[in-house]
Amino acid sequence: MILKRALILFTLAWLAVPFAQAADPIVIKFSHVVAPNTPKGKAADYFKNLVEERTGGRVKVEVYPNSQLYKDREEMEALQLGAVQMLAPSLSKFGPLGVRSFELFDLPYIFPNKETLYRVMDGDIGKQLFGMLESKGIKGLAFWDNGFKQMSANRPLRKVGDFQGLKMRIQSSKVLDAQMKALGALPQVMAFSEVYTALQQGVVDGTENPVSNLYTQKMHEVQKHLTISDHGYLGYAVIVNKKFWDDLPADLRPVVEKAMADATRYEREIAQKENDDALEAVRKAGKTEIYVLPLEGRLEWHKVLLPVHKQFEDVIGKDLIQGVYGIAAEVEKERLAATVKPRDKAKAKAKAKPAKAQ
Ligand code: LMR
């Protein structure tokens, strides 16, 4: 009898081993709308590899690119319902959630350079914005970059007057709506996955995006003109379902967090090059005439677009807009200080010293 019990226990012990080893992995479904060979697509795959390797397979990341699972608006709802756990929507797509302050990033010509942008994302403004998501059941993990947007259409876009009456596809942002109206265009909100067909069929005449998005969706094949205008910015917030995040085992959360920090560094490193390469590829494809907006053109666009900042002060928050201006000024001051030649510094110092009494 004792022997029989021992045998059963022995057998159970063996059976228990594969059971313990085969515990189901935690699955993070990461849905996004762009192609895998874009800055966001590559970073999502990079994050997947880091997480799976570092957790020894205890966390599995399933990446669904190209709106395979959900389109723009649907994916936000899916995240809140827990049908997917992670997204990286562009910062222009948070308005419909009721957090309009994210449209700060859409204000035309607000970031004079990437240094200003990163300081905004990684500083108090970025924290404040992520704080606004918590009550929506969402946690913000990181800001990813794509780059400055360029305008495209089937007619050359050089002067402000060239936009008159053009139907321009925009993301779901009221700032972008105002931007296109200020230029004299007719803005039309549309999901990213529908833009290529809409351009092809003439439902819209033009669009704006960083070149990496234009090229990987083949939009250049249906756009005869591209203007390198850098008039606005497009970046992402990587977000998770808050309940899912809070319920992650305490030993795994820091590992996933570190993988996200590493993926973010990687993403920001490749963003510019991906866009430069895409521009080169558009040039080589030979279907689109590329026009680099010269300084006088930029000044004309700037003059027409800048009033949009003031128009949205109440919606976005005057403090946030002023905060960006302050950071931009700080960056510019540092840049100027760094470009003063050591000889000039010595001269300035000597000038500042009171002359010795003879
Ligand atoms: C767009 O809709 O144009 C972009 O937000 C797509 C993206 O995610 O880069």
Side-chain angles (χ1 to χ4, degrees):
M1 179 70 183
I2 292 176
L3 256 180
K4 204 172 164 193
R5 248 181 83 197
L7 191 66
I8 292 171
L9 285 173
F10 179 75
T11 314
L12 278 177
W14 274 105
L15 283 176
V17 172
F19 255 15
Q21 281 177 348
D24 284 344
I26 294 168
V27 176
I28 299 178
K29 286 192 178 159
F30 188 161
S31 170
H32 68 80
V33 301
V34 294
N37 55 338
T38 54
K40 174 161 69 178
K42 286 190 174 177
D45 293 341
Y46 189 85
F47 170 73
K48 167 193 167 68
N49 292 336
L50 289 185
V51 168
E52 292 182 353
E53 191 187 302
R54 291 178 185 174
T55 63
R58 283 174 67 200
V59 180
K60 201 169 158 238
V61 182
E62 294 173 0
V63 180
Y64 297 95
N66 265 328
S67 311
Q68 237 171 60
L69 281 189
Y70 301 106
K71 294 185 198 172
D72 297 338
R73 184 131 187 189
E74 301 162 359
E75 68 171 17
M76 285 288 200
E77 285 160 14
L79 184 83
Q80 286 179 298
L81 292 171
V84 291
Q85 289 68 40
M86 191 173 280
L87 305 174
S90 97
L91 300 163
S92 322
K93 291 177 184 165
F94 286 76
L97 259 190
V99 277
R100 300 283 307 277
S101 293
F102 276 74
E103 290 175 22
L104 172 72
F105 290 92
D106 294 332
L107 290 171
Y109 293 116
I110 186 136
F111 301 109
N113 46 54
K114 286 271 178 96
E115 183 52 35
T116 302
L117 168 79
Y118 293 145
R119 287 193 199 180
V120 169
M121 288 176 158
D122 300 336
D124 287 345
I125 296 182
K127 282 197 192 83
Q128 236 174 294
L129 291 170
F130 276 167
M132 295 173 194
L133 298 176
E134 304 258 329
S135 65
K136 311 282 173 195
I138 293 174
K139 179 161 179 64
L141 292 185
F143 286 102
W144 285 1
D145 178 24
N146 194 341
F148 293 104
K149 289 179 291 186
Q150 322 303 347
M151 293 283 192
S152 66
N154 282 324
R155 91 162 63 134
L157 299 171
R158 298 180 177 183
K159 301 215 157 41
V160 169
D162 297 333
F163 285 88
Q164 196 58 44
L166 272 190
K167 282 179 270 158
M168 296 293 283
R169 178 267 171 174
I170 55 161
Q171 305 174 78
S172 53
S173 153
K174 294 278 187 272
V175 167
L176 298 180
D177 183 87
Q179 169 200 275
M180 290 302 184
K181 283 180 178 156
L183 290 168
L186 308 169
Q188 301 218 355
V189 175
M190 187 178 286
F192 185 64
S193 55
E194 292 163 11
V195 183
Y196 175 87
T197 313
L199 288 170
Q200 189 187 38
Q201 297 179 349
V203 175
V204 287
D205 303 304
T207 184
E208 57 164 7
N209 238 307
V211 188
S212 60
N213 276 348
L214 178 99
Y215 178 69
T216 52
Q217 296 297 321
K218 298 189 173 27
M219 292 180 203
H220 64 291
E221 292 181 358
V222 286
Q223 293 280 263
K224 291 198 181 77
H225 295 272
L226 174 66
T227 299
I228 305 301
S229 49
D230 292 334
H231 62 278
Y233 175 72
L234 190 133
Y236 308 105
V238 187
I239 52 178
V240 273
N241 176 291
K242 187 165 161 18
K243 171 145 181 24
F244 170 82
W245 185 255
D246 292 342
D247 290 349
L248 271 182
D251 63 323
L252 287 178
R253 202 182 306 123
V255 183
V256 179
E257 226 159 19
K258 175 77 174 60
M260 181 51 70
D262 292 344
T264 300
R265 204 168 309 118
Y266 165 79
E267 203 274 346
R268 291 185 187 180
E269 267 165 28
I270 63 165
Q272 187 61 48
K273 182 163 177 354
E274 290 294 320
N275 278 291
D276 293 346
D277 290 352
L279 182 59
E280 200 39 47
V282 171
R283 187 169 281 128
K284 277 208 183 111
K287 296 196 155 117
T288 316
E289 192 178 309
I290 300 167
Y291 175 73
V292 181
L293 194 65
L295 184 63
E296 59 273 27
R298 278 174 198 251
L299 291 176
E300 192 210 359
W301 291 34
H302 200 268
K303 196 168 161 210
V304 167
L305 292 174
L306 220 60
V308 177
H309 293 206
K310 187 116 197 87
Q311 195 183 331
F312 280 85
E313 261 178 14
D314 291 343
V315 176
I316 291 170
K318 194 173 172 181
D319 53 332
L320 292 182
I321 300 177
Q322 294 291 335
V324 178
Y325 294 166
I327 293 171
E330 188 182 283
V331 170
E332 183 58 10
K333 210 167 133 196
E334 286 172 19
R335 190 188 67 80
L336 287 173
T339 52
V340 174
K341 292 193 199 99
R343 211 164 29 124
D344 297 343
K345 272 192 192 158
K347 259 196 209 161
K349 217 167 153 190
K351 220 174 168 187
K353 260 193 203 161
K356 273 194 192 145
Q358 296 286 312

